[in-house]
Amino acid sequence: MVFPLGLIVVVTVVDILAPPDVHLGPLLVAAPAITAAIGGAGLVASIGALAVVAQLIIALVRGGWITLNHQMQILALVIVTAVIVIFCELRERHHQQLTQVRSVSETAQRVLLRPLPRRIGPLKVASVYLAAEAEAHIGGDLYAAARTDDGTRLIIGDVRGKGLSSISDAALLLGAFREAAHQHATLAELTRYLEESVSRGLAELTETDHDADEDFVTAALLDIPDDEPVIHLIDCGHPPPLLLRNHQVTPLQVRQPEPPLGLGEFTDPGYRVETFPFEAGDLLLLYTDGVIEARDRAGAFYPLAERIASWDGDGVEALLRHIRDDLLAHSDGSLGDDAAMIALSRTPASSTAPAAK
């Protein structure tokens, strides 16, 4: 505000005192232009009006009347100010819309991807979501956890595609998981139910969205008992979880991967549960392919397992902070796809926290 006013005063005084053949009045147009960078439409209009008054003062003091030259300068100043005011109005309107979209997106994220508690039974938990769309906050990646009578069940998944359609598919699967995780005794039964639920939901979407018949969801489902140092895993076309123990990274690669959810009708999935060790002090990382498919400027993929193995920190939250910062640095802050991660560690059963619902 001070600079545009100072510019008007300086130009006015110098123009009045300058020789007759020197005219600095046209420089007054810079005042509303500069104001647009620091203020809104109302402030620009006020500064433009002051600039017009200054131009009138220059004309009257220097010549005693308003010449045609000064009239053209005033007209140009009015036109430029009006254009800048319109620009500022459009900018403010766009900013308001963007703020509203961001607010809706943040609300949708809180509803769809409920924050995971830091403690679930004997597990310490941390999670992070990085949306490829800077203002979207959420996309087609998903995760959730549910407590059962004797353990914890988790899901992490990635919906094929992007945009609102992927969010709808993610919401469909998360709703089904949260409802069914407490009702099915085995992980295989739960996975079969989710396959049926996703297939049924996608079939309904196909009636209004013909592209939905090509949709599916890769997912990893885990059952972690409270009283056994193991993980039960069914992998439906999802990148394998990584187990970190003593700086050694082991992918939990199942011998029999299942098809992604939504494609079960084309195969005959058996949903075989495979078991892996998961002892106190181990760290387990679940992630979506947006992490390992992030590229640097040379086109190289992010070496997730290598970066985890070289990490010398402690705790699930510190691990995710390290990966997040390193991943964004690798990709120059621009991800080609959404990325979600969950880090888990097991603590002694005596220190378990209240069950998370």
Side-chain angles (χ1 to χ4, degrees), residues 104-165:
V104 171
S105 177
E106 291 173 348
T107 301
Q109 184 185 45
R110 288 193 296 269
V111 172
L112 183 57
L113 285 182
R114 300 171 188 170
L116 298 181
R118 294 184 176 181
R119 293 291 298 270
I120 307 179
L123 305 176
K124 290 184 178 180
V125 183
S127 60
V128 65
Y129 192 104
L130 301 173
E133 301 284 345
E135 302 298 338
H137 294 277
I138 191 170
D141 289 9
L142 59 98
Y143 53 76
R147 281 290 287 164
T148 62
D149 293 337
D150 56 359
T152 302
R153 286 178 170 172
L154 298 107
I155 184 173
I156 186 166
D158 185 0
V159 178
R160 172 199 171 274
K162 299 180 181 180
L164 294 177
S165 175

Side-chain angles (χ1 to χ4, degrees), residues 124 281 283 311-319 321:
K124 290 184 178 180
L283 285 175
W311 176 68
D312 57 1
D314 180 49
V316 292
E317 293 184 356
L319 174 61
R321 282 197 302 269

Side-chain angles (χ1 to χ4, degrees), residues 6 27 70 72 75 104 109 118 134 137 167 170 209 249 272 303 306 315 330:
L27 295 178
H70 286 112
M72 292 299 100
L75 179 61
V104 171
Q109 184 185 45
R118 294 184 176 181
H137 294 277
I167 297 175
D209 182 359
V249 178
R272 176 181 175 182
E306 176 185 324
H330 177 86

Side-chain angles (χ1 to χ4, degrees), residues 226-238:
D226 289 344
D227 55 0
E228 286 185 84
V230 297
I231 296 169
H232 303 304
L233 171 66
I234 293 179
D235 191 322
C236 299
H238 200 74

Side-chain angles (χ1 to χ4, degrees), residues 75-107:
L75 179 61
L77 184 57
V78 170
I79 293 174
V80 170
T81 300
V83 170
I84 296 175
V85 167
I86 294 173
F87 167 78
C88 289
E89 285 283 357
L90 294 175
R91 183 185 62 185
E92 291 174 4
R93 190 173 304 172
H94 176 71
H95 177 72
Q96 292 174 355
Q97 292 174 343
L98 190 60
T99 300
Q100 184 177 10
V101 168
R102 185 182 295 113
S103 175
V104 171
S105 177
E106 291 173 348
T107 301

